[in-house]
Amino acid sequence: MKKQTYSTHRRFDPLFHFIAMPALLILLIGSIINLVNSSDDNLYSASLIVFISVLLILATLFSRGNALRAQDRAIVAEEKLRHYLLTKKALPNELTVRQIIGLRFASEEEYVELVERAIKEKLSENQIKKEIKNWKGDYYRV
């Protein structure tokens, strides 16, 4: 796998981003067109198809969102342990979850200083990532 950097760290899941979601959107559009063009005979079934299409999209988005939130929880736990191992102190409570997630890419050499700067300067996740000089890749993020 090629080395991650700020410009290459974003990850797409091809099955989700390029197949499932476009297919679900096509299904929703087609079902709405079918509903608009339906006669009184099949209005009920056409409306059910639209309803099912919306539910499928919501279920897909919720399942992906829940998986990402679970990963975020794991990252926060990892970063709390990492900070403790480097400083023998707990990770400061002033950091937001998004800041902690941004810090996971920092090397050990710059991690502690970047934690302090993130708190003091209220750096966003993206600003933290841009400040990292020695990028530590996260190759398991979904």
Side-chain angles (χ1 to χ4, degrees):
M1 186 170 281
K2 73 178 187 179
K3 185 172 170 41
Q4 269 185 9
T5 63
Y6 174 76
S7 59
T8 64
H9 80 285
R10 298 207 189 277
R11 182 142 182 240
F12 289 99
D13 181 356
L15 287 175
F16 177 80
H17 288 101
F18 305 121
I19 296 175
M21 284 311 294
L24 286 171
L25 290 174
I26 290 168
L27 175 67
L28 178 63
I29 292 167
S31 67
I32 291 171
I33 291 170
N34 181 46
L35 177 64
V36 169
N37 294 329
S38 67
S39 64
D40 290 340
D41 298 353
N42 64 355
L43 186 61
Y44 178 73
S45 60
S47 61
L48 281 179
I49 294 170
V50 171
F51 184 66
I52 290 169
S53 300
V54 170
L55 288 178
L56 281 172
I57 290 172
L58 289 174
T60 303
L61 291 174
F62 281 126
S63 65
R64 174 133 174 105
N66 288 340
L68 290 176
R69 271 193 297 284
Q71 267 190 324
D72 291 348
R73 287 182 66 183
I75 290 168
V76 169
E78 289 170 1
E79 293 308 309
K80 284 180 177 183
L81 175 62
R82 180 179 180 202
H83 187 271
Y84 182 79
L85 291 173
L86 291 172
T87 65
K88 301 297 184 228
K89 297 178 186 170
L91 190 64
N93 291 331
E94 295 88 3
L95 289 170
T96 66
V97 171
R98 298 310 318 166
Q99 286 175 312
I100 294 169
I101 290 167
L103 286 164
R104 79 183 184 279
F105 296 109
S107 66
E108 272 69 16
E109 298 82 31
E110 59 190 328
Y111 183 80
V112 177
E113 178 189 339
L114 203 49
V115 167
E116 293 167 4
R117 282 191 56 215
I119 294 168
K120 188 171 68 171
E121 299 172 26
K122 297 191 184 326
L123 298 175
S124 69
E125 174 185 8
N126 203 38
Q127 290 170 320
I128 291 169
K129 290 177 187 178
K130 287 180 179 177
E131 292 295 319
I132 296 171
K133 293 167 187 64
N134 187 14
W135 193 272
K136 183 181 91 129
D138 180 357
Y139 300 100
Y140 299 106
R141 181 86 172 158
V142 175

